[in-house]
Amino acid sequence: MSTMKEVAMKAGVSKATVSRLLSGKGYVSEATKVAVYQAIEEAGYRPNLLARNLATNKSQCIGLVATNTLYNGSYFNELLSQAAKKLEDNGRQLILVDGKHSAEEEQQAIQFLLDLRCDAVIVYPRFLTVDAMDSIISQHKQPIMVVNRKLRSHQSHGIFCDHKGSSFQATRHLLTQGHRDIAFITGSLDSPTAIERLSGYKAALEAQGLPIREQLIIKGKWTPASGAAAVESLLAANTPFSAILASNDDMAIGAMKVLHAAKLSVPEDVSLIGFDNIPTAPFLQPALSSVKDPVSGMVNEVINRLISMLDGGYLSQNNAFSSELILRDSVAPGPYFGQ
Amino acid sequence: MSTMKEVAMKAGVSKATVSRLLSGKGYVSEATKVAVYQAIEEAGYRPNLLARNLATNKSQCIGLVATNTLYNGSYFNELLSQAAKKLEDNGRQLILVDGKHSAEEEQQAIQFLLDLRCDAVIVYPRFLTVDAMDSIISQHKQPIMVVNRKLRSHQSHGIFCDHKGSSFQATRHLLTQGHRDIAFITGSLDSPTAIERLSGYKAALEAQGLPIREQLIIKGKWTPASGAAAVESLLAANTPFSAILASNDDMAIGAMKVLHAAKLSVPEDVSLIGFDNIPTAPFLQPALSSVKDPVSGMVNEVINRLISMLDGGYLSQNNAFSSELILRDSVAPGPYFGQ
DNA sequence: TTGTAGGCGTTATCAC
DNA sequence: GTGATAACGCCTACAA
C-alpha cells in the first residue's frame, strides 16, 4: 500500500500539503492540486484510516453491541437497518459487535469498541443490569446509549418502551371482549422485557379482580418452537383457555401452528395476540393480532441524540416510547374451553 | 484516557517493558509484573487499539459488506449470526458495513473496510458484477471473499450455490406430481439469484417439452407484499394454475395469505413452494414446501478459508454448495384450475 | 501557499 | 531482564 509520503514525493511536495488537500483544511494552489491528484491516481493511494484516527482521535464510527442470539429476530433486523441507514446519512459507520451470552462478555464488547476509539457506543443489553450500565456510562468519556432500558442515573442515555403497559392493554382488550381464560406464553425470563410483559398480564387480571392461574402461564424461549411446545403442553394438560397472549410474534406463530393442527381456528376458537409485529406476522393470518414495538422510533431517537452530543446542537429528551396495539380481531370467546 | 507511557512512569519502568508484558512476548520479572499490573489498575489503563493496529499492521477485524435492503431478510440473519459466531471463536471481530443501493456504493463500502485495514473482507454482493469483483480482488493484497457468486478468475475467493439447479429440481418435483400449470413468482430481476431461479424453472419446463407461458411468470420483489400482489394479479387475470413456485419464502408467505383469502387451501387446491427456508416458514403451514439454501454451510466455508489464508494451514476448496429440498406435501393437482 | 517538525500510542529491534 | 529509539502513517501548529 502506498503512503502519503510516496504521493508527496511523486508530486514534488511535502506530506503536509497532501494532507491539507485531502482534509480540505488550509490553502493549496490549483497547480499543486492537479499534481497531487495525479500522483494519488498513479500511486493508487488510499489513506490509512488507522493512522488518521490515531492522529485526530476520532473515528467516525459508532459501535453497536447486541447478543448474537438476537441476530435471528426481526426485532434486531429493524434495529440494525434503522441504525445503519440513519448513521450513514450522517456520514458515520456502524460497527456491530457480538455481546455473546453473559454480562461479562457484553461488557467486554463495549470495552472493545471503546478501545477501538469509536465515537460512541449503542448497547442493546441482554445481560448487563441497569445499574451495571449506569456505572459503565459514568466511567467513560464517550457517549454510551442504552436501548430498551430505563436507566437510573443517566436518564438521557437510555431509551425505553413501556412493555408492562402494552401487555396490560393487550390483556385488557381480551378481558373486555369477555375472555376469562387467557393463557400467557412468557419469553426467556432472564430478559427484563419478558418479565415486564408477564407483569402487565398479571396486573390486568388483578385490576379486573381475577385470579392469576399459574397453569395458564407457560414458559417460552422467544422461538417459534417454544411457542408451539407451550400450546401443546396447554392442550395436554387439558386446561381450558379461550385466548393466548404470546410474548412475541415468533412464539405466536408457533402457537398458531399447533392450534391449527388441533383443528382450532384463530380467532374463532382461540384469540391470539403476539408482540413486536414482525413483518411476516400480518401475512400469517389476518386474524393474528400483535403489539407493535416502537423499535424504529427508539433507534431514531437514540441516534439523533448521539449526533447532537457529538456534533453539538439541540438535544431532545424523549426517553419513553409507547407500543401501538394492532388488533385484527375482535371476537368474543367461542364455545371452546379446553379439549 | 491514560496511555502506556503513564503506566510505565507509575510503575517506574519503560514503555517497552509494559508493552512486553501486555503482549506476552519477551521476559519480564515477577516483581515488575506486579508493579506494572498495579499501575495499570490504578491508572485505569486501556490499550489504544488504533495505535496497536497501526504499529502491527493488523486489526483482528474482518469486514462484511451487505446491502441494507437485505437486513430485513432472515437469509441475512443466518449469514450474520453464523459469521459473528465463527469469527469470535477465532478471536476476531466482525465489522458490518452497508453496501447501500448501487455498485459504486458497494465498492466504497469494501474500500472503507480496506482503508480501516481489516485483515479481510467478506462481500455479499448485490450490485457489483462478477467481473467487477474479480477486478477488485486482484487490486488488493487483503483477501476478499465473495458469497453467493461464482467468480471467473479468483475461483478460490468465491463460494456459490446452484440456484438454477435447485429451482429446476423443485419445478420437476411439481411436474412429476402431475402439475402442468405452474406459476412462478420471481425475485427482483436485478439480482443474479432471481435470474438463476427463474431460468431453472424454465429449464425444467423445457426438459419436459412444455411451453413457457409468460402469463404464469409474475415479477416480485422478494417481499411478502409483492408475493401477495403476484397471486392477486394471477387470480384477477383468471389464468389457471395448480401450483406456485415463489422465489423466496417471504413471497410464498404473502402468496399463501391471498390464497387463503380466496378460499384456496395449500396444498389441496394449490401446491406452494418457496426458497431459503426461513425459520418461521415451517410454522406457517405444515404444507408449505421450501428449498433450503446452504447459507450456514457457505459462511462456514468462507470463514474457514479466510482463517487458513490469514493464519496459514489447510485450504479447502469446496466452492459449490447445494440446496436441500424440503418438501412437505406430495399432492397431485386437484380440480382447481383458475377461477 | 508551502515545508518543517513534533506528536498520536503502540510495537519491535537493538544494545546494555 | 530492561530501556532507548526508531518505526507505523497521518495531522497540525508554526515558521518561512
Side-chain angles (χ1 to χ4, degrees):
Chain A
M1 288 253 88
S2 62
T3 73
M4 198 152 131
K5 194 174 171 184
E6 289 171 42
V7 171
M9 299 201 67
K10 260 199 167 59
V13 295
S14 73
K15 288 192 301 176
T17 305
V18 178
S19 175
R20 265 191 300 262
L21 177 55
L22 259 34
S23 66
K25 295 174 188 256
Y27 306 91
V28 179
S29 77
E30 278 307 319
T32 53
K33 265 188 193 170
V34 175
V36 172
Y37 278 131
Q38 191 184 333
I40 287 178
E41 197 70 25
E42 280 177 20
Y45 169 76
R46 291 257 90 210
N48 183 329
L49 260 32
L50 291 177
R52 176 182 303 183
N53 294 344
L54 178 60
T56 56
N57 199 29
K58 280 184 188 141
S59 70
Q60 297 294 86
C61 288
I62 307 286
L64 173 64
V65 175
T67 316
N68 68 44
T69 55
L70 247 73
Y71 294 2
N72 296 314
S74 31
Y75 188 87
F76 179 67
N77 279 145
E78 183 82 9
L79 182 77
L80 188 61
S81 53
Q82 276 290 324
K85 279 181 202 160
K86 278 229 62 162
L87 282 179
E88 306 218 355
D89 288 349
N90 188 248
R92 294 175 211 265
Q93 289 290 343
L94 186 70
I95 300 191
L96 174 69
V97 170
D98 190 353
K100 301 191 195 174
H101 15 257
S102 71
E104 199 191 344
E105 290 169 311
E106 217 162 58
Q107 182 157 359
Q108 281 169 2
I110 298 174
Q111 197 56 260
F112 172 78
L113 291 165
L114 257 18
D115 293 349
L116 255 188
R117 297 303 183 265
C118 282
D119 295 342
V121 175
I122 302 172
V123 186
Y124 188 93
R126 172 68 213 275
F127 302 102
L128 285 168
T129 64
V130 164
D131 289 337
M133 286 305 317
D134 259 325
S135 133
I136 292 174
I137 291 172
S138 47
Q139 281 166 39
H140 299 279
K141 206 178 62 231
Q142 292 112 313
I144 299 176
M145 305 297 287
V146 184
V147 182
N148 201 31
R149 288 290 183 280
K150 182 171 184 174
L151 297 179
R152 217 181 299 280
S153 36
H154 299 84
Q155 306 255 358
S156 65
H157 290 241
I159 202 150
F160 61 94
C161 167
D162 180 12
H163 296 300
K164 182 177 175 182
S166 46
S167 179
F168 183 95
Q169 282 186 44
T171 309
R172 199 172 52 184
H173 168 77
L174 291 171
L175 290 170
T176 306
Q177 291 187 304
H179 292 276
R180 285 299 172 272
D181 305 295
I182 305 172
F184 187 90
I185 308 177
T186 74
S188 297
L189 289 175
D190 54 354
S191 121
T193 301
I195 291 170
E196 288 168 32
R197 286 181 179 160
L198 176 57
S199 74
Y201 161 79
K202 288 182 175 174
L205 290 181
E206 280 172 357
Q208 196 84 5
L210 293 171
I212 288 158
R213 289 183 283 147
E214 290 299 334
Q215 68 271 30
L216 282 177
I217 300 176
I218 315 286
K219 287 191 185 115
K221 298 175 178 178
W222 296 128
T223 61
S226 70
V231 175
E232 269 164 7
S233 78
L234 222 39
L235 293 174
N238 224 341
T239 315
F241 62 92
S242 67
I244 300 176
L245 204 57
S247 290
N248 75 355
D249 283 338
D250 274 345
M251 294 194 297
I253 289 168
M256 198 157 60
K257 178 189 174 183
V258 175
L259 291 176
H260 280 312
K263 305 279 178 228
L264 296 168
S265 39
V266 176
E268 291 77 12
D269 299 318
V270 177
S271 283
L272 181 59
I273 300 185
F275 283 84
D276 292 346
N277 202 250
I278 68 174
T280 44
F283 284 88
L284 297 182
Q285 177 100 2
L288 175 70
S289 299
S290 187
V291 178
K292 182 172 183 176
D293 257 5
V295 206
S296 44
M298 292 202 289
V299 171
N300 258 295
E301 174 64 20
V302 157
I303 296 185
N304 282 338
R305 209 180 292 174
L306 224 37
I307 291 171
S308 57
M309 278 177 167
L310 298 172
D311 302 342
Y314 173 70
L315 182 59
S316 89
Q317 288 290 358
N318 179 16
N319 294 337
F321 281 75
S322 308
S323 298
E324 181 188 349
L325 280 173
I326 299 182
L327 302 171
R328 292 196 185 75
D329 61 320
S330 52
V331 172
Y336 176 77
F337 278 83
Q339 294 185 304
Chain B
M1 288 252 87
S2 61
T3 73
M4 197 152 130
K5 194 174 171 184
E6 289 171 43
V7 171
M9 299 201 67
K10 261 198 168 60
V13 295
S14 73
K15 287 192 301 177
T17 304
V18 179
S19 175
R20 263 193 302 265
L21 178 56
L22 259 35
S23 67
K25 295 174 188 258
Y27 306 90
V28 179
S29 76
E30 278 307 317
T32 52
K33 265 187 192 170
V34 175
V36 172
Y37 278 131
Q38 191 185 333
I40 287 177
E41 198 69 25
E42 281 178 18
Y45 167 75
R46 289 258 90 209
N48 183 328
L49 261 31
L50 290 177
R52 189 196 322 257
N53 294 344
L54 177 62
T56 57
N57 199 29
K58 282 185 187 139
S59 71
Q60 297 295 84
C61 288
I62 307 287
L64 173 63
V65 175
T67 316
N68 68 45
T69 56
L70 246 73
Y71 294 2
N72 296 314
S74 31
Y75 189 87
F76 178 68
N77 279 146
E78 182 82 10
L79 182 77
L80 187 61
S81 53
Q82 275 290 323
K85 278 181 202 160
K86 278 229 61 163
L87 282 179
E88 304 217 357
D89 288 347
N90 188 246
R92 293 176 210 267
Q93 290 288 345
L94 186 69
I95 300 190
L96 174 69
V97 171
D98 191 352
K100 302 190 193 172
H101 14 257
S102 70
E104 198 191 343
E105 290 168 311
E106 218 162 59
Q107 181 157 0
Q108 281 171 1
I110 298 174
Q111 197 56 259
F112 173 77
L113 290 165
L114 257 18
D115 293 349
L116 254 188
R117 296 303 184 266
C118 282
D119 295 343
V121 175
I122 301 172
V123 185
Y124 188 93
R126 172 66 214 274
F127 302 102
L128 285 168
T129 64
V130 164
D131 289 337
M133 286 304 317
D134 259 325
S135 134
I136 292 174
I137 291 171
S138 46
Q139 282 167 40
H140 300 280
K141 207 177 61 230
Q142 292 113 312
I144 299 176
M145 305 297 288
V146 185
V147 183
N148 201 31
R149 288 291 183 278
K150 182 171 183 174
L151 297 179
R152 218 183 297 281
S153 37
H154 299 85
Q155 306 255 359
S156 65
H157 290 241
I159 202 149
F160 60 94
C161 167
D162 181 12
H163 296 301
K164 181 178 175 182
S166 46
S167 179
F168 183 95
Q169 283 185 43
T171 310
R172 200 173 52 184
H173 167 77
L174 292 171
L175 291 171
T176 306
Q177 291 187 304
H179 293 275
R180 285 299 172 270
D181 305 295
I182 306 171
F184 188 90
I185 308 177
T186 73
S188 298
L189 289 175
D190 55 354
S191 121
T193 301
I195 292 170
E196 289 168 31
R197 286 181 179 160
L198 175 57
S199 74
Y201 160 79
K202 289 182 176 174
L205 291 181
E206 281 172 355
Q208 196 85 5
L210 293 170
I212 288 157
R213 289 183 283 148
E214 290 299 334
Q215 68 271 30
L216 282 175
I217 300 176
I218 315 288
K219 288 192 184 112
K221 297 175 179 178
W222 296 128
T223 61
S226 70
V231 175
E232 269 165 7
S233 79
L234 222 39
L235 292 174
N238 224 342
T239 316
F241 62 92
S242 66
I244 300 176
L245 204 56
S247 290
N248 74 356
D249 283 338
D250 275 345
M251 294 194 296
I253 289 168
M256 198 157 62
K257 179 189 175 183
V258 175
L259 290 176
H260 281 311
K263 305 281 178 225
L264 295 169
S265 39
V266 177
E268 291 77 10
D269 299 318
V270 177
S271 283
L272 180 59
I273 299 185
F275 283 82
D276 294 345
N277 202 250
I278 68 174
T280 43
F283 283 90
L284 297 181
Q285 177 100 1
L288 175 70
S289 299
S290 186
V291 178
K292 181 173 183 176
D293 257 4
V295 206
S296 45
M298 292 201 288
V299 171
N300 259 293
E301 174 64 21
V302 157
I303 296 184
N304 283 338
R305 210 181 291 175
L306 224 38
I307 291 171
S308 56
M309 278 176 165
L310 297 171
D311 301 342
Y314 173 71
L315 183 59
S316 89
Q317 287 291 359
N318 179 17
N319 294 338
F321 281 76
S322 308
S323 298
E324 182 188 347
L325 281 173
I326 298 182
L327 302 171
R328 292 197 185 72
D329 62 320
S330 52
V331 172
Y336 176 76
F337 279 83
Q339 295 185 304

Coordinates of all heavy atoms in Angstrom, one line a residue, chain B residues 249-293:
Chain B
D249 N -39.2 -17.5 0.5 CA -40.2 -17.8 1.4 C -41.1 -16.6 1.8 O -42.3 -16.8 2.0 CB -39.6 -18.4 2.7 CG -39.2 -19.8 2.5 OD1 -39.7 -20.5 1.6 OD2 -38.4 -20.3 3.3
D250 N -40.5 -15.5 1.9 CA -41.3 -14.3 2.2 C -42.4 -14.1 1.2 O -43.6 -13.8 1.6 CB -40.4 -13.0 2.2 CG -39.7 -12.8 3.5 OD1 -40.1 -13.5 4.5 OD2 -38.7 -12.0 3.6
M251 N -42.1 -14.2 -0.1 CA -43.1 -14.1 -1.1 C -44.1 -15.2 -1.0 O -45.3 -15.1 -1.2 CB -42.5 -14.0 -2.5 CG -41.7 -12.7 -2.7 SD -41.3 -12.4 -4.4 CE -40.3 -13.8 -4.8
A252 N -43.7 -16.4 -0.7 CA -44.6 -17.6 -0.5 C -45.6 -17.3 0.6 O -46.8 -17.6 0.5 CB -43.8 -18.8 -0.2
I253 N -45.1 -16.7 1.7 CA -46.0 -16.3 2.8 C -47.1 -15.3 2.3 O -48.2 -15.5 2.6 CB -45.2 -15.7 3.9 CG1 -44.3 -16.8 4.6 CG2 -46.1 -15.1 5.0 CD1 -43.3 -16.3 5.5
G254 N -46.7 -14.3 1.6 CA -47.6 -13.4 1.1 C -48.6 -14.1 0.1 O -49.8 -13.8 0.2
A255 N -48.1 -15.0 -0.7 CA -48.9 -15.7 -1.6 C -50.0 -16.5 -0.9 O -51.2 -16.5 -1.2 CB -48.1 -16.6 -2.5
M256 N -49.5 -17.1 0.2 CA -50.4 -18.0 0.9 C -51.6 -17.2 1.5 O -52.7 -17.7 1.6 CB -49.7 -18.7 2.0 CG -50.4 -19.9 2.6 SD -49.3 -21.1 3.3 CE -48.7 -20.1 4.6
K257 N -51.3 -16.0 2.0 CA -52.3 -15.2 2.6 C -53.5 -15.0 1.6 O -54.6 -15.1 1.9 CB -51.7 -13.9 3.0 CG -52.8 -12.9 3.6 CD -52.2 -11.6 3.8 CE -53.3 -10.6 4.3 NZ -52.8 -9.2 4.5
V258 N -53.0 -14.6 0.4 CA -54.1 -14.3 -0.7 C -54.8 -15.6 -1.0 O -56.0 -15.6 -1.3 CB -53.4 -13.7 -1.9 CG1 -54.4 -13.5 -3.0 CG2 -52.8 -12.3 -1.5
L259 N -54.1 -16.7 -1.1 CA -54.8 -18.0 -1.5 C -55.9 -18.3 -0.4 O -57.0 -18.6 -0.8 CB -53.8 -19.1 -1.5 CG -52.8 -19.1 -2.7 CD1 -51.8 -20.2 -2.6 CD2 -53.5 -19.2 -4.0
H260 N -55.5 -18.1 0.9 CA -56.4 -18.4 1.9 C -57.7 -17.5 1.8 O -58.8 -17.9 2.0 CB -55.8 -18.2 3.3 CG -55.0 -19.4 3.7 ND1 -55.4 -20.7 3.6 CD2 -53.7 -19.5 4.1 CE1 -54.5 -21.5 4.0 NE2 -53.4 -20.8 4.3
A261 N -57.4 -16.2 1.5 CA -58.4 -15.2 1.4 C -59.4 -15.6 0.3 O -60.6 -15.4 0.3 CB -57.9 -13.8 1.2
A262 N -58.8 -16.3 -0.7 CA -59.6 -16.7 -1.9 C -60.2 -18.1 -1.7 O -60.7 -18.7 -2.6 CB -58.8 -16.6 -3.1
K263 N -60.1 -18.5 -0.4 CA -60.7 -19.8 0.0 C -60.0 -21.0 -0.8 O -60.7 -22.0 -1.1 CB -62.2 -19.9 -0.3 CG -63.0 -18.8 0.3 CD -63.3 -19.1 1.8 CE -64.0 -18.0 2.5 NZ -63.5 -17.6 3.8
L264 N -58.8 -20.8 -1.0 CA -58.0 -21.9 -1.7 C -57.0 -22.4 -0.6 O -56.3 -21.7 0.0 CB -57.2 -21.4 -2.9 CG -58.1 -20.9 -4.0 CD1 -57.2 -20.1 -5.0 CD2 -58.8 -22.0 -4.7
S265 N -57.0 -23.7 -0.4 CA -56.1 -24.2 0.6 C -54.8 -24.8 0.0 O -54.8 -25.3 -1.2 CB -56.8 -25.2 1.5 OG -57.7 -26.0 0.8
V266 N -53.8 -24.8 0.8 CA -52.5 -25.3 0.4 C -52.2 -26.6 1.2 O -52.4 -26.6 2.4 CB -51.4 -24.3 0.7 CG1 -50.0 -24.8 0.4 CG2 -51.6 -23.0 0.0
P267 N -51.9 -27.7 0.6 CA -51.7 -27.9 -0.8 C -52.8 -28.5 -1.6 O -52.7 -28.8 -2.8 CB -50.5 -28.9 -0.8 CG -50.8 -29.7 0.3 CD -51.5 -28.9 1.3
E268 N -54.0 -28.6 -0.9 CA -55.1 -29.3 -1.6 C -55.5 -28.7 -2.9 O -55.7 -29.4 -3.9 CB -56.3 -29.4 -0.7 CG -56.1 -30.3 0.6 CD -55.3 -29.7 1.6 OE1 -55.0 -28.5 1.6 OE2 -54.8 -30.4 2.6
D269 N -55.7 -27.4 -2.9 CA -56.1 -26.7 -4.1 C -54.9 -26.2 -4.9 O -54.8 -26.4 -6.1 CB -56.9 -25.5 -3.8 CG -58.2 -25.9 -3.0 OD1 -58.8 -27.0 -3.4 OD2 -58.6 -25.3 -2.1
V270 N -53.9 -25.7 -4.2 CA -52.7 -25.2 -4.9 C -51.5 -25.6 -4.1 O -51.4 -25.4 -2.9 CB -52.7 -23.6 -4.9 CG1 -51.5 -23.1 -5.6 CG2 -54.0 -23.1 -5.7
S271 N -50.5 -26.2 -4.8 CA -49.2 -26.5 -4.2 C -48.4 -25.3 -4.2 O -48.4 -24.5 -5.1 CB -48.5 -27.7 -4.9 OG -49.1 -28.9 -4.6
L272 N -47.6 -25.1 -3.1 CA -46.8 -23.9 -3.0 C -45.4 -24.3 -2.5 O -45.3 -25.0 -1.5 CB -47.5 -23.0 -2.0 CG -46.9 -21.6 -1.7 CD1 -46.7 -20.8 -2.9 CD2 -47.7 -20.9 -0.6
I273 N -44.4 -23.7 -3.2 CA -43.0 -24.0 -2.8 C -42.3 -22.6 -2.7 O -42.5 -21.8 -3.6 CB -42.3 -24.9 -3.8 CG1 -43.0 -26.3 -3.8 CG2 -40.8 -25.1 -3.3 CD1 -42.3 -27.3 -4.7
G274 N -41.5 -22.5 -1.7 CA -40.7 -21.3 -1.5 C -39.2 -21.6 -1.6 O -38.9 -22.8 -1.8
F275 N -38.4 -20.6 -1.4 CA -36.9 -20.8 -1.3 C -36.4 -20.2 -0.1 O -36.9 -19.1 0.4 CB -36.2 -20.2 -2.5 CG -36.4 -21.0 -3.8 CD1 -37.5 -20.9 -4.6 CD2 -35.4 -21.9 -4.2 CE1 -37.7 -21.6 -5.7 CE2 -35.5 -22.6 -5.4 CZ -36.7 -22.5 -6.1
D276 N -35.3 -20.7 0.4 CA -34.5 -20.2 1.5 C -34.8 -20.9 2.9 O -33.9 -21.0 3.7 CB -34.7 -18.7 1.8 CG -34.2 -17.8 0.6 OD1 -33.4 -18.4 -0.2 OD2 -34.5 -16.6 0.5
N277 N -36.0 -21.3 3.0 CA -36.4 -22.0 4.3 C -36.1 -21.1 5.5 O -35.3 -21.5 6.4 CB -35.7 -23.3 4.4 CG -36.4 -24.2 5.3 OD1 -35.9 -24.5 6.4 ND2 -37.6 -24.7 5.0
I278 N -36.8 -20.0 5.6 CA -36.7 -19.1 6.7 C -37.3 -19.8 7.9 O -38.2 -20.6 7.8 CB -37.3 -17.7 6.5 CG1 -38.8 -17.8 6.3 CG2 -36.7 -17.1 5.2 CD1 -39.4 -16.4 6.2
P279 N -36.8 -19.5 9.1 CA -37.2 -20.2 10.4 C -38.7 -20.2 10.6 O -39.3 -21.3 11.0 CB -36.6 -19.4 11.5 CG -35.4 -18.7 10.8 CD -35.8 -18.4 9.4
T280 N -39.4 -19.1 10.3 CA -40.9 -19.2 10.6 C -41.7 -19.9 9.5 O -42.8 -20.3 9.8 CB -41.4 -17.7 10.7 OG1 -40.9 -16.9 9.6 CG2 -41.1 -17.1 12.0
A281 N -41.1 -20.1 8.4 CA -41.8 -20.7 7.3 C -42.4 -22.1 7.7 O -43.6 -22.3 7.4 CB -40.9 -20.9 6.0
P282 N -41.7 -23.0 8.3 CA -42.3 -24.3 8.6 C -43.4 -24.2 9.6 O -44.2 -25.1 9.7 CB -41.1 -25.1 9.2 CG -40.0 -24.2 9.4 CD -40.3 -22.9 8.6
F283 N -43.5 -23.0 10.2 CA -44.6 -22.9 11.2 C -45.9 -22.3 10.6 O -46.9 -22.2 11.2 CB -44.1 -22.0 12.4 CG -43.3 -22.7 13.3 CD1 -41.9 -22.7 13.1 CD2 -43.8 -23.5 14.3 CE1 -41.1 -23.5 13.9 CE2 -43.0 -24.2 15.2 CZ -41.6 -24.2 15.0
L284 N -45.7 -21.8 9.4 CA -46.9 -21.2 8.7 C -48.0 -22.2 8.4 O -49.1 -22.0 8.7 CB -46.4 -20.5 7.4 CG -45.4 -19.5 7.7 CD1 -45.0 -18.8 6.4 CD2 -46.0 -18.4 8.6
Q285 N -47.5 -23.2 7.9 CA -48.5 -24.2 7.4 C -47.6 -25.4 7.2 O -46.6 -25.4 6.5 CB -49.0 -23.7 6.1 CG -50.0 -24.6 5.4 CD -51.4 -24.2 5.6 OE1 -51.7 -23.2 6.3 NE2 -52.3 -25.0 5.1
P286 N -48.0 -26.6 7.7 CA -47.2 -27.8 7.5 C -47.0 -28.1 6.0 O -46.0 -28.7 5.6 CB -48.0 -28.8 8.2 CG -48.9 -28.1 9.1 CD -49.2 -26.8 8.5
A287 N -47.9 -27.6 5.2 CA -47.8 -27.9 3.8 C -46.9 -27.1 2.9 O -46.6 -27.4 1.8 CB -49.2 -27.9 3.2
L288 N -46.4 -26.0 3.5 CA -45.5 -25.2 2.7 C -44.2 -25.8 2.5 O -43.4 -26.1 3.4 CB -45.3 -23.8 3.4 CG -44.3 -22.9 2.6 CD1 -44.9 -22.4 1.3 CD2 -43.9 -21.7 3.5
S289 N -43.9 -26.1 1.2 CA -42.5 -26.7 1.0 C -41.5 -25.6 0.7 O -41.9 -24.4 0.4 CB -42.6 -27.5 -0.3 OG -43.5 -28.6 -0.1
S290 N -40.3 -25.9 0.9 CA -39.3 -24.9 0.7 C -37.9 -25.5 0.3 O -37.6 -26.6 0.7 CB -39.1 -24.1 2.0 OG -38.3 -23.0 1.9
V291 N -37.2 -24.7 -0.4 CA -35.9 -25.2 -0.8 C -34.9 -24.5 0.1 O -34.8 -23.3 0.1 CB -35.6 -24.8 -2.3 CG1 -34.2 -25.2 -2.7 CG2 -36.7 -25.4 -3.2
K292 N -34.2 -25.3 0.9 CA -33.3 -24.7 1.9 C -31.9 -24.3 1.3 O -31.2 -25.2 0.8 CB -33.1 -25.6 3.0 CG -32.3 -25.1 4.1 CD -32.2 -25.9 5.4 CE -31.4 -25.2 6.4 NZ -31.4 -26.0 7.7
D293 N -31.6 -23.0 1.4 CA -30.3 -22.6 0.9 C -29.2 -22.9 1.9 O -29.4 -22.8 3.1 CB -30.3 -21.1 0.7 CG -30.4 -20.8 -0.8 OD1 -30.6 -21.7 -1.6 OD2 -30.4 -19.6 -1.1

